Amino acid sequence: MNRSVLSGILLTMLSYFLFSVQDASVKWLVVALPVWQILFVRSVTIFGLCLAVGRWRVITDAWRSPVLKPMFIRNLLLLAAWLSYYSAARDLGLAELTTLYYASPILITILAVPMLKEDVPLLRWFAVFIGFVGVLIACDPMGTGMKLSLPVMLALQAAVFWAISTVLLRKTALQERTLVQMTLSSGFFILFTGMAMTVYWVEPSWTDLALMAGTGVIAGLGQYAMFEGMRRAPVSVLAPFEYSSLVWAFIFGFLIWGDIPSSGVVMGAALIFSAGMIVLAGERFGRRARPG
């Protein structure tokens, strides 16, 4: 396999593992603190890490970056995705919410064709479909009696916003180095969430503050891995590996909260793993079959 593509896949899998750790941390924090505040401290931490690595030059590079406007639009989409997602979470069960949100890898693969001019082989479409079937089996949405409603539409809206922002990330990732993109992303989120802090700020304990900062470090590492992965492989290759975060979510649920996965979860996880292996096999053997 092309080493660049393989490294992109491994970095993407690492990023979704780290994002799953972040989600577990946020699950603890949202009990006492507003989401706006968690995102604000998280973004400040990431911005501080970027400054520590890139010094003040990274600020100058970010201000002069050719992706300044696209990154602004992308982060608006991300903010809209998170607001839609958390609004839907008030009324939808985890199975419904996760199933709807994981429509995004399919949308990413679809959007990669007109927006990025990627050639998506049939095998990748098949892998994305297999992964989504795995999510359906693992979450068992049919057992919850899911019906069309405002929360369902919000969850689907979050998936659409996330898919578009991911495709935009691929376009910007090819034009700017990762550290500058992270500086822009965290800077915009400090701006967006900072305005909300005048209304939603809650005095945190030292433990909560440390956990929020730790979440920022984990998220920063996840962002770096994700941005680098996008630089090295097409989004249609990476899309099925987004499903791997569901597997991590179930693992963390068992280790932290004692949730025992059902047989459907195990079967779904196996299909999700298979989707990733289909992409890996297609890249490896497809490249070997091409004439040199």
Side-chain angles (χ1 to χ4, degrees):
M1 181 191 295
N2 185 315
R3 289 186 178 181
S4 176
V5 172
L6 178 59
S7 64
I9 290 172
L10 293 176
L11 285 167
T12 298
M13 294 180 68
L14 173 62
S15 73
Y16 283 112
F17 165 74
L18 292 171
F19 288 145
S20 297
V21 175
Q22 170 198 246
D23 291 343
S25 299
V26 171
K27 184 176 176 65
W28 284 99
L29 290 166
V30 292
V31 175
L33 299 171
V35 174
W36 287 97
Q37 186 170 342
I38 297 169
L39 291 176
F40 176 76
V41 177
R42 167 187 176 273
S43 301
V44 169
T45 304
I46 295 173
F47 192 82
L49 290 173
C50 292
L51 273 180
V53 175
R55 307 298 180 182
W56 288 105
R57 180 182 174 183
V58 75
I59 302 295
T60 304
D61 291 345
W63 182 254
R64 297 173 179 174
S65 174
V67 301
L68 183 63
K69 291 182 179 179
M71 285 294 289
F72 179 81
I73 295 172
R74 177 182 178 270
N75 280 277
L76 279 178
L77 289 167
L78 274 179
L79 182 62
W82 279 334
L83 289 176
S84 300
Y85 185 80
Y86 287 121
S87 297
R90 297 171 184 168
D91 301 295
L92 292 178
L94 180 61
E96 296 171 318
L97 193 64
T98 306
T99 300
L100 292 169
Y101 188 73
Y102 273 95
S104 59
I106 294 178
L107 296 173
I108 290 170
T109 305
I110 293 172
L111 291 172
V113 177
M115 294 182 67
L116 299 178
K117 310 302 181 184
E118 288 188 8
D119 180 20
V120 182
L122 183 61
L123 194 62
R124 285 187 207 164
W125 290 109
F126 180 66
V128 172
F129 174 76
I130 290 296
F132 188 64
V133 170
V135 173
L136 287 174
I137 294 174
C139 296
D140 189 24
M142 301 307 294
T144 63
M146 186 162 51
K147 298 178 181 179
L148 188 63
S149 62
L150 178 59
V152 169
M153 296 300 293
L154 284 172
L156 288 172
Q157 179 176 280
V160 172
F161 285 144
W162 173 255
I164 297 173
S165 69
T166 301
V167 174
L168 286 177
L169 174 59
R170 170 64 176 174
K171 296 188 74 170
T172 59
L174 298 176
Q175 301 176 50
E176 188 58 89
R177 70 183 197 275
T178 297
L179 190 63
V180 171
Q181 293 189 75
M182 290 178 62
T183 303
L184 285 170
S185 183
S186 57
F188 283 136
F189 262 89
I190 290 173
L191 176 65
F192 299 150
T193 58
M195 292 185 291
M197 286 302 91
T198 58
V199 178
Y200 294 101
W201 180 263
V202 174
E203 190 67 30
S205 66
W206 285 107
T207 301
D208 289 338
L209 193 59
L211 188 54
M212 283 190 287
T215 300
V217 173
I218 293 169
L221 293 173
Q223 276 190 19
Y224 186 86
M226 183 181 184
F227 286 9
E228 281 296 306
M230 290 288 181
R231 290 172 62 88
R232 304 180 188 197
V235 293
S236 57
V237 171
L238 301 178
F241 294 94
E242 185 175 341
Y243 292 127
S244 64
S245 60
L246 177 65
V247 179
W248 288 118
F250 284 122
I251 291 174
F252 290 138
F254 173 73
L255 293 177
I256 300 173
W257 293 282
D259 298 335
I260 300 176
S262 65
S263 58
V265 170
V266 175
M267 186 181 301
L271 285 174
I272 294 168
F273 178 79
S274 299
M277 292 302 101
I278 289 172
V279 173
L280 283 173
E283 288 299 306
R284 180 178 180 84
F285 296 109
R287 184 175 179 82
R288 182 181 296 178
R290 298 185 193 111

